Amino acid sequence: MSLTIRAAMLGDVPVILELIRELAEYERLSHLVVADETRLREALFGARPGAEVLLAEWDHQVVGFAVFFQNFSTFWGRPGIYLEDLFVRPDFRGRGIGKSLLQCLAQETVRRGGARLEWSVLNWNEPAIRFYQSLGAEPQNEWTVYRLTGAALGRVAEEERFSTT
């Protein structure tokens, strides 16, 4: 049995969407998935890609992925990588695939001159938390994530700007 980690290509969009749906099901968030192949093709391989994807293949079968994008630390004055999603299909867990994906991302962060690799994990996902801590990752408990979506995002975007005269 062999593991290969590779950058996703345009032809991988259908399997990326499958993995997104499987991840959403695992996280009990299937109802939130609105991505489709057209949207993913543009977002990942269009004129301004918003993210990148690494695919994990076990004997030429896609069994997991990591979706990531560059972020920036103002304090460090350097870029970093934010891991949006890491997922390994259940039948292939426990084989070092998730660790290999994270190792590739750590190597890419260093190669790009990055200061940090970071991600979020659902509070209830104890297996993932134990896995991340076994690698030496530390929770950043002093931060709370905030998010604007849907109607709230639209309202803020449409508000008149204050002038500074």
Side-chain angles (χ1 to χ4, degrees), residues 2 15 26 43 51 62 77 81 97 99 108 115 118 125 160 162:
S2 65
V15 76
Y26 174 76
V62 175
I81 286 181
I97 297 168
K99 185 174 183 178
E108 188 63 17
E118 58 189 0
N125 194 344
E160 286 187 40
F162 294 97

Side-chain angles (χ1 to χ4, degrees), residues 8-58:
M9 299 176 287
L10 184 59
D12 294 315
V13 167
V15 76
I16 293 168
L17 184 56
E18 283 177 27
L19 290 164
I20 290 169
R21 288 179 175 149
E22 289 175 37
L23 170 64
E25 185 176 325
Y26 174 76
E27 291 183 341
R28 306 173 199 146
L29 298 171
S30 294
H31 61 285
L32 297 178
V33 177
V34 296
D36 60 24
E37 289 184 22
T38 301
R39 185 175 285 176
L40 286 177
R41 267 192 292 281
E42 180 61 29
L44 299 174
F45 301 101
R48 291 190 59 190
E52 299 172 64
V53 179
L54 291 177
L55 293 176
E57 294 180 333
W58 190 267

Side-chain angles (χ1 to χ4, degrees), residues 73-85:
S73 169
T74 53
F75 289 5
W76 285 81
R78 292 172 42 200
I81 286 181
Y82 186 85
L83 172 60
E84 179 66 23
D85 288 316

